[in-house]
Amino acid sequence: MEKPILIRVHPQDNVEIVVNEKGIPAGTLIHDQLVAREHIPQSHKIALKDFAAEEEIIRYGEVIGYAKEPIAKGSWIDEHKVRLPQAPELEALPVATRIPAEQSPLLGYTFQGYKNPDGTVGTKNMLGITTTVQCVEGVLRIAVEELKALLPRYPHVDGIIPMYHSYGCGVAINAPDAVIPIRTIKNLAENPNLGGELLMVGLGCEKLVPERLFLDIPQDNLVLLQESMGFRPMVEEIKAKAVKILERLNTRRREVCPASDLVVGLQCGGSDAFSGVTANPALGYAADLLVRAGATVLFSEVSEVRDGVHLLTPRTISAEVGQKMKDEMAWYDHYLDLGSVDRDANPTPGNKKGGLANVVEKSLGSIAKSGTSPIVDVLSAGEKVRKKGLTFAATPASDFVCGTCQLASGITLQVFSTGRGTPYGLAMAPVIKVSTRTELATKWHDLIDINAGTIATGEATIESVGTDLFHYILAVASGEKKTWADQWGIENALCLFNPAPVT
Amino acid sequence: MEKPILIRVHPQDNVEIVVNEKGIPAGTLIHDQLVAREHIPQSHKIALKDFAAEEEIIRYGEVIGYAKEPIAKGSWIDEHKVRLPQAPELEALPVATRIPAEQSPLLGYTFQGYKNPDGTVGTKNMLGITTTVQCVEGVLRIAVEELKALLPRYPHVDGIIPMYHSYGCGVAINAPDAVIPIRTIKNLAENPNLGGELLMVGLGCEKLVPERLFLDIPQDNLVLLQESMGFRPMVEEIKAKAVKILERLNTRRREVCPASDLVVGLQCGGSDAFSGVTANPALGYAADLLVRAGATVLFSEVSEVRDGVHLLTPRTISAEVGQKMKDEMAWYDHYLDLGSVDRDANPTPGNKKGGLANVVEKSLGSIAKSGTSPIVDVLSAGEKVRKKGLTFAATPASDFVCGTCQLASGITLQVFSTGRGTPYGLAMAPVIKVSTRTELATKWHDLIDINAGTIATGEATIESVGTDLFHYILAVASGEKKTWADQWGIENALCLFNPAPVT
Ligand SMILES: [Ca+2]
Ligand SMILES: [Ca+2]
Ligand SMILES: [Ca+2]
Ligand SMILES: [Ca+2]
Ligand SMILES: [Ca+2]
């Protein structure tokens, strides 16, 4: 029989996680004091003691729930045996009470980036095409198809990104929450990977008028289809204006830039119980290195952070930033209430199959991505990043909505951890995919960039994988290494966060 | 000077609409009793009398608003001079009180359609690929690209439609309103233009599990990416399963079917003041012909129907159907309330520029599409059509959301009227675009299929354009004529209606 491998994250934990791929069979002798009473699947929890009903179940040194019934030592603690605790009461949370001390700066790290006129630096050199409304999409698709055929003439341009979305008309443009999708569209247009250039395609009668995004757009940068004399003239006008920008973009070259010019987004998707033990702590370690090198790091996913927010508010650098974090949580609580949604709606069937009993356990694993740095700022969904260091960008956890919001905030690269596995990719920025388990990295050898599963088996450490990831980020940002998603051209569509009604 | 042309729709109207392309200049003598006091733009309203403040402004024989201030005869009545009336109180509305008499049946009309095993009939023969979650989109795009290169081997197949959407995970799957996007995805998969075949691509850990859409999906019809050994195997599995279906689809041929097998959706977008005078009444006339021929006709757009609903509830065939119509209106009122949205949020800047002062005026023009038949059924968003005859399918007015919901309801062809102009097209069904003005049809000669602007100038009548449209529908449904959108391949993305929160 295979040797049983189990991991415990915190000395106070009264559960451990099974590492073995096939789980451990009933009767497995784990050590003198512990025998598995039943089959326990990989990444699921075993009881280290006898639990009375209502006794605390502790993981990460935190209460992840209460035993619904007595649970005997050596049993499998699956989701049905765990009662969800209350979400932390927001008002009472301490803010800025345990601001981490500044870590020693990491000097001398650089990457090869594209410098923009506004001081930002891109990791790619792409033509972005902003749309004001979905009405233009059918025509723009055809123009982009024809433009892509011209790309060999512009070898220094990495690609063309039409920003399709379903916003712009048939929406409540003056609803209080309309500010979210509108600023997201605007800020996406200014992502550093788009070189400071603007090309906008609108219809002409939509609610989201171009001037609501940018004042005084020069004629060279704007196409309004209703001003065209038919379909082919529309396509030709888009192409002519795009080609002028492609010519300018093609003259750009990478230059040595300090690592502090990087803006890196962190995300997880398809999580399992290893996410919080292997991949996310490694992301957190890399995040700390990036912050020490002066870079900007964003972590997100409100509904996953909500149940661990009491661990984050003390790390905010001021009462103001702490309050902003509480405000974002409260906004989301209210938003879910309006839709009659339970907060435990976040974990997916895959999460639960992967051993995450509930949103609390998922949260504690998710926030491991944030590392140990002070939280210097909190952004609302789609707001532009304002400070170097670690920022909480409040976005939904949905991989596509979070990715879109982080791109609007200005990330130029994303690191994405996955346990169950997703082939996720973004057109606008490279996505480095980190697996939580070795089995996934082996099976998806042509999709997973970094394997953090070696941390669970003892072949590597959080520090070693985190350091590798840090160096990999610099190489990908420099265009020296290509992520698998970029290698294959795997691109998920943008997905705006629009909490306001459609009409 | 050009001869002034004005139109009045109803004898009780106290305003008329300017037809002349450049409007009419101040001082224009319209007739003995009427002189334009100021420049009045095309499709805008002129006052036929002196209005006291708060006096009723009447168009279509209905009150579209009240004069905010005294308005002198011959003045331009622009949106700023019109106060919005109250929306009709739903509870008090009479239902089934003026059920139109059945019109004489139209016999002998047929089209060449594709007969499906379930008795429905398609106007196209396409391979649809259902997705359970956006995670699969990046991989599926690449597989579809490669499949399209194989299409020349299947000359009787009209195309491949991957159904990308942003639903499936990161959403509140158990929220009360989640039923809407879920049934839409399911019913889209069963659209008659997809030949009764099913191919579904899922990830494996998403919230929208395949079994929630269809029970017992055979292995040949389902691909779960997490079961694949990497990227290329995913692509190959999708292609292999798709090719089997393409082979079956390629054996299908069109057959003569009665016109009663047609399911036609009606929509308007980019409306102007002519929409309700030319194009929409012509659509209404064609709708009556279709109903007389035994076909199914859907009209939609709740937020545009809301202010004219008092004209529709009396036409419902039973108290039950009338109540369902009220319930749908009430649901939407509540939905807009939750988002703090004003009901007059529907008209766009383009609508207003086009002479539509408010949502009431827009509504009265919009419901002209429904013709004069009894309303036999009311569907909630994305529900499948149940009856032949005229059905109100309650959807948002957004062109893409409405189009997607109507496709889920089972339309096999859409007729789309536009005043300001939009290049709208759907992948899943042909879209016939009807312009409200001759100028648009001339300018967009390669986008507009039918010009209803001739009705305003007296060159044609509602009856003649409506009859032409009826014949054109049969020809397009038969594959004998191609719409401009299909000619160019103009395809707007699907857009699900998801009123529930994202997480
Ligand atoms: Ca996550
Ligand atoms: Ca996520
Ligand atoms: Ca399978
Ligand atoms: Ca409309
Ligand atoms: Ca519409």
Side-chain angles (χ1 to χ4, degrees):
Chain A
M1 210 186 63
E2 211 185 21
K3 185 181 171 312
I5 311 178
L6 288 100
I7 40 178
R8 192 192 323 201
V9 185
H10 192 277
Q12 278 162 26
D13 292 358
N14 52 27
V15 299
E16 282 183 350
I17 307 300
V18 173
V19 175
N20 306 70
E21 183 177 357
K22 297 193 163 62
I24 53 175
T28 303
L29 177 75
I30 294 160
H31 55 72
D32 299 7
Q33 312 289 321
L34 187 64
V35 175
R37 294 175 63 94
E38 54 196 315
H39 171 82
I40 301 169
Q42 189 196 34
S43 73
H44 280 253
K45 291 176 286 296
I46 184 171
L48 298 185
K49 53 166 277 190
D50 291 318
F51 287 83
E54 290 307 315
E55 211 176 325
E56 293 177 340
I57 301 168
I58 296 172
R59 201 186 157 190
Y60 299 104
E62 300 283 333
V63 176
I64 61 162
Y66 302 91
K68 272 191 189 165
E69 58 200 67
I71 302 173
K73 182 172 171 175
S75 302
W76 175 21
I77 305 190
D78 86 339
E79 52 167 302
H80 305 291
K81 295 181 184 156
V82 185
R83 187 170 63 72
L84 188 68
Q86 293 290 313
E89 199 33 84
L90 290 175
E91 277 181 35
L93 291 182
V95 296
T97 47
R98 279 192 284 132
I99 306 173
E102 210 165 307
Q103 294 179 287
S104 60
L106 275 181
L107 301 174
Y109 286 95
T110 60
F111 72 108
Q112 300 276 333
Y114 289 99
K115 292 187 180 177
N116 294 318
D118 67 354
T120 62
V121 174
T123 66
K124 287 195 175 188
N125 181 33
M126 319 237 274
L127 168 64
I129 306 179
T130 296
T131 64
T132 54
V133 67
Q134 207 206 336
C135 303
V136 307
E137 178 171 343
V139 170
L140 181 54
R141 278 190 189 283
I142 294 161
V144 167
E145 201 80 357
E146 296 182 16
L147 278 167
K148 283 188 173 170
L150 304 180
L151 273 182
R153 292 190 208 164
Y154 309 99
H156 295 282
V157 177
D158 290 317
I160 301 175
I161 305 182
M163 286 171 263
Y164 305 122
H165 58 78
S166 56
Y167 201 73
C169 215
V171 294
I173 201 90
N174 292 318
D177 289 332
V179 62
I180 298 174
I182 295 173
R183 77 169 161 239
T184 303
I185 295 170
K186 174 180 162 58
N187 291 345
L188 281 170
E190 297 187 319
N191 183 282
N193 287 352
L194 305 180
E197 298 279 359
L198 178 70
L199 180 57
M200 189 182 291
V201 181
L203 181 61
C205 66
E206 63 272 35
K207 286 183 179 172
L208 182 59
V209 291
E211 306 80 61
R212 188 135 174 191
L213 296 169
F214 299 99
L215 289 175
D216 303 320
I217 303 173
Q219 275 300 307
D220 276 358
N221 304 95
L222 181 64
V223 179
L224 290 179
L225 301 190
Q226 284 178 348
E227 294 180 357
S228 276
M229 299 302 288
F231 169 72
R232 280 310 309 178
M234 293 173 186
V235 172
E236 295 307 331
E237 185 181 350
I238 294 168
K239 283 171 67 182
K241 290 181 177 175
V243 157
K244 280 195 193 168
I245 300 175
L246 285 172
E247 279 164 7
R248 285 197 295 272
L249 290 174
N250 196 45
T251 64
R252 305 175 81 217
R253 296 295 179 272
R254 290 185 186 270
E255 294 171 71
V256 176
C257 302
S260 58
D261 285 335
L262 277 175
V263 185
V264 176
L266 306 175
Q267 214 204 140
C268 56
S271 299
D272 65 7
F274 285 123
S275 298
V277 183
T278 62
N280 288 347
L283 263 62
Y285 191 84
D288 284 350
L289 296 179
L290 286 164
V291 168
R292 287 171 59 196
T296 305
V297 178
L298 269 58
F299 72 111
S300 295
E301 302 178 279
V302 171
S303 54
E304 288 176 16
V305 157
R306 179 66 181 87
D307 281 83
V309 69
H310 55 291
L311 305 176
L312 295 176
T313 50
R315 284 169 57 190
T316 55
I317 54 150
S318 67
E320 199 190 336
V321 174
Q323 186 58 46
K324 180 87 192 288
M325 181 170 273
K326 292 184 188 182
D327 292 346
E328 290 294 335
M329 299 292 138
W331 184 94
Y332 222 88
D333 284 355
H334 175 68
Y335 167 68
L336 292 181
D337 268 1
L338 283 183
S340 314
V341 172
D342 197 73
R343 79 186 216 277
D344 199 31
N346 177 299
T348 63
N351 290 156
K352 290 179 176 175
K353 226 165 148 182
L356 294 173
N358 58 33
V359 69
V360 179
E361 189 172 12
K362 186 170 177 180
S363 283
L364 295 171
S366 179
I367 62 177
K369 293 195 291 294
S370 70
T372 62
S373 303
I375 297 168
V376 299
D377 202 6
V378 171
L379 303 176
S380 298
E383 276 185 341
K384 265 197 197 178
V385 75
R386 292 175 288 233
K387 292 184 186 171
K388 295 197 182 286
L390 180 68
T391 283
F392 177 66
T395 76
S398 155
D399 297 350
F400 315 101
V401 182
C402 171
T404 302
C405 290
Q406 286 192 352
L407 287 169
S409 294
I411 63 162
T412 53
L413 186 148
Q414 197 183 52
V415 182
F416 190 103
S417 70
T418 184
R420 308 283 306 166
T422 166
Y424 185 79
L426 296 169
M428 208 180 284
V431 176
I432 297 172
K433 288 204 287 292
V434 181
S435 78
T436 69
R437 291 173 299 122
T438 296
E439 292 80 27
L440 179 65
T442 307
K443 186 168 129 180
W444 282 15
H445 56 97
D446 56 0
L447 285 167
I448 298 297
D449 299 290
I450 302 250
N451 175 24
T454 48
I455 296 168
T457 53
E459 298 159 74
T461 62
I462 289 170
E463 294 73 16
S464 69
V465 175
T467 305
D468 287 351
L469 176 57
F470 172 70
H471 289 290
Y472 200 76
I473 289 168
L474 293 174
V476 168
S478 300
E480 284 159 21
K481 289 213 167 123
K482 222 171 192 178
T483 63
W484 279 115
D486 278 351
Q487 176 73 32
W488 299 119
I490 298 174
E491 299 177 356
N492 286 94
L494 295 173
C495 186
L496 297 179
F497 182 37
N498 178 22
V502 298
T503 63
Chain B
M1 211 185 65
E2 209 185 21
K3 184 178 170 316
I5 311 178
L6 288 100
I7 40 177
R8 193 193 320 202
V9 185
H10 191 278
Q12 278 163 28
D13 291 359
N14 52 27
V15 299
E16 281 184 349
I17 307 299
V18 172
V19 175
N20 307 69
E21 185 179 356
K22 296 193 162 60
I24 52 175
T28 303
L29 178 74
I30 295 161
H31 55 72
D32 299 8
Q33 312 289 320
L34 187 65
V35 175
R37 292 176 63 95
E38 53 196 316
H39 171 81
I40 301 170
Q42 188 196 35
S43 73
H44 279 254
K45 290 176 286 295
I46 186 171
L48 298 185
K49 54 166 278 191
D50 290 319
F51 287 84
E54 290 307 313
E55 210 175 326
E56 294 178 339
I57 301 169
I58 296 172
R59 200 185 158 192
Y60 299 104
E62 299 284 333
V63 176
I64 61 162
Y66 302 90
K68 272 191 188 164
E69 59 200 68
I71 302 172
K73 181 172 171 177
S75 301
W76 175 22
I77 304 191
D78 86 338
E79 52 167 300
H80 305 292
K81 295 181 186 158
V82 184
R83 187 171 64 73
L84 188 67
Q86 292 291 312
E89 197 37 81
L90 290 175
E91 276 181 35
L93 291 182
V95 296
T97 47
R98 278 192 284 131
I99 306 173
E102 211 165 305
Q103 294 179 285
S104 59
L106 275 182
L107 302 174
Y109 286 94
T110 61
F111 72 107
Q112 300 277 333
Y114 289 100
K115 291 187 180 175
N116 294 318
D118 67 353
T120 62
V121 174
T123 65
K124 287 195 174 188
N125 181 33
M126 320 237 273
L127 169 64
I129 305 178
T130 296
T131 65
T132 54
V133 66
Q134 208 207 338
C135 303
V136 307
E137 177 171 344
V139 171
L140 181 53
R141 277 190 190 284
I142 294 161
V144 167
E145 201 80 355
E146 296 181 16
L147 278 167
K148 283 190 175 170
L150 304 180
L151 273 183
R153 293 189 208 165
Y154 308 100
H156 295 282
V157 177
D158 290 318
I160 301 175
I161 304 182
M163 286 172 264
Y164 305 122
H165 59 78
S166 56
Y167 201 74
C169 215
V171 294
I173 201 91
N174 292 318
D177 290 331
V179 63
I180 297 174
I182 294 173
R183 77 168 160 240
T184 303
I185 295 169
K186 175 180 163 55
N187 291 345
L188 282 170
E190 298 188 318
N191 182 282
N193 286 352
L194 306 180
E197 299 278 0
L198 177 70
L199 180 58
M200 189 181 292
V201 181
L203 181 62
C205 67
E206 62 272 35
K207 287 183 178 172
L208 183 59
V209 292
E211 307 81 60
R212 190 139 174 188
L213 297 169
F214 298 99
L215 288 175
D216 303 320
I217 304 174
Q219 275 299 308
D220 276 359
N221 305 94
L222 180 64
V223 179
L224 290 179
L225 300 190
Q226 284 179 347
E227 294 180 354
S228 276
M229 300 301 288
F231 169 71
R232 280 310 310 177
M234 294 173 185
V235 172
E236 295 307 331
E237 186 181 349
I238 294 168
K239 283 171 67 182
K241 290 180 176 175
V243 157
K244 280 194 194 169
I245 300 176
L246 286 172
E247 278 164 7
R248 285 197 295 273
L249 290 174
N250 196 46
T251 63
R252 304 176 81 217
R253 297 295 180 272
R254 290 185 186 270
E255 294 170 71
V256 176
C257 302
S260 57
D261 284 336
L262 277 176
V263 185
V264 175
L266 306 176
Q267 215 205 139
C268 57
S271 299
D272 65 8
F274 285 123
S275 298
V277 183
T278 61
N280 288 347
L283 263 63
Y285 192 84
D288 284 350
L289 295 180
L290 286 164
V291 169
R292 288 172 59 196
T296 305
V297 178
L298 269 58
F299 73 111
S300 295
E301 302 177 280
V302 171
S303 54
E304 288 176 16
V305 156
R306 178 66 181 87
D307 282 84
V309 69
H310 55 292
L311 306 176
L312 295 176
T313 49
R315 283 169 57 190
T316 55
I317 54 150
S318 66
E320 199 190 337
V321 174
Q323 186 58 44
K324 181 86 193 289
M325 182 170 271
K326 291 183 186 183
D327 291 346
E328 290 294 336
M329 300 291 139
W331 183 94
Y332 222 89
D333 284 354
H334 175 68
Y335 167 68
L336 293 181
D337 267 0
L338 283 183
S340 314
V341 171
D342 197 71
R343 78 186 217 276
D344 200 32
N346 176 299
T348 63
N351 290 156
K352 290 179 177 177
K353 226 164 147 182
L356 295 173
N358 59 32
V359 69
V360 179
E361 189 171 11
K362 187 170 176 178
S363 283
L364 296 171
S366 179
I367 62 176
K369 293 197 290 295
S370 69
T372 62
S373 303
I375 297 168
V376 298
D377 202 6
V378 172
L379 303 176
S380 299
E383 276 185 339
K384 265 197 198 179
V385 76
R386 291 175 288 233
K387 293 183 185 171
K388 295 196 182 286
L390 180 68
T391 283
F392 177 66
T395 76
S398 155
D399 297 350
F400 315 102
V401 182
C402 171
T404 302
C405 290
Q406 287 193 348
L407 287 169
S409 294
I411 63 161
T412 53
L413 185 149
Q414 197 183 51
V415 182
F416 190 102
S417 70
T418 183
R420 307 284 306 165
T422 166
Y424 185 80
L426 296 170
M428 207 180 284
V431 176
I432 298 172
K433 288 205 287 293
V434 181
S435 77
T436 69
R437 291 172 299 122
T438 297
E439 292 80 27
L440 178 65
T442 307
K443 186 167 129 180
W444 282 17
H445 56 96
D446 55 1
L447 285 167
I448 298 296
D449 298 290
I450 302 250
N451 174 25
T454 47
I455 296 168
T457 54
E459 298 159 74
T461 62
I462 290 171
E463 293 74 15
S464 69
V465 174
T467 305
D468 288 351
L469 176 56
F470 172 71
H471 289 291
Y472 200 76
I473 289 169
L474 293 175
V476 168
S478 301
E480 284 158 21
K481 289 211 167 126
K482 224 173 190 175
T483 63
W484 279 115
D486 278 350
Q487 177 73 31
W488 299 119
I490 298 173
E491 300 177 355
N492 286 94
L494 295 173
C495 186
L496 296 178
F497 182 38
N498 178 21
V502 297
T503 64

